[in-house]
Amino acid sequence: MLMRTNTCPVDYRMCRQTVTVYHKDGEEYTRTVYDRAYLDFRKNQTVEKTGSKESNSFLLIIPGDAQAVFVGDKVLTGEGPEITCREDWAALIPATTPNLVVVKYADPKYWGTRFVHVEAGG
């Protein structure tokens, strides 16, 4: 007998980090803190004839019923400061802010027709 269930089989127990997502829409800046997130930093190494090259990337997962992060958003581990203007946004860069990343892709995930989480990275 085949049993069907509407519960999502994905286990979100590892989503227990706090992240702050900064979003810019025109000249409006928003800051949202998520207490149920998973952020993993990765170091990639490529070896070629001329030597090796390192690059950094990340994977962010935020469970929920709506897309929480978009391309161009900035994500900071922990609870970050408020930003209210263009100058604050421009000053918030990975080169000067440890554990800050900029989203290069945002991929919504569904279980059937139900939105279950968003995966983002860069």
Side-chain angles (χ1 to χ4, degrees), residues 2 14 21 33 46 69 74 82 102-103 108-109 121:
L2 177 64
M14 291 186 67
V21 176
V33 177
T46 307
V69 64
K74 299 177 182 184
E82 292 283 344
V102 179
V103 174
K109 299 297 182 179

Side-chain angles (χ1 to χ4, degrees), residues 31-61:
R31 169 189 168 267
T32 308
V33 177
Y34 295 95
D35 291 325
R36 257 185 92 212
Y38 175 79
L39 181 58
D40 181 38
F41 296 97
R42 302 176 188 177
K43 185 170 282 202
N44 304 312
Q45 188 169 15
T46 307
V47 179
E48 298 174 354
K49 288 182 188 180
T50 58
S52 65
K53 181 172 87 172
E54 283 188 355
S55 65
N56 296 316
S57 65
F58 70 94
L59 171 66
L60 171 67
I61 299 173

Side-chain angles (χ1 to χ4, degrees), residues 55-117:
S55 65
N56 296 316
S57 65
F58 70 94
L59 171 66
L60 171 67
I61 299 173
I62 301 177
D65 56 5
Q67 189 156 342
V69 64
F70 298 87
V71 172
D73 286 356
K74 299 177 182 184
V75 180
L76 182 64
T77 57
E79 190 168 338
E82 292 283 344
I83 61 166
T84 58
C85 62
R86 184 170 37 121
E87 289 77 17
D88 292 345
W89 177 266
L92 194 63
I93 57 173
T96 59
T97 309
N99 299 318
L100 178 76
V101 293
V102 179
V103 174
K104 291 193 168 111
Y105 72 87
D107 190 10
K109 299 297 182 179
Y110 295 85
W111 175 249
T113 59
R114 193 179 97 204
F115 186 98
V116 291
H117 71 260

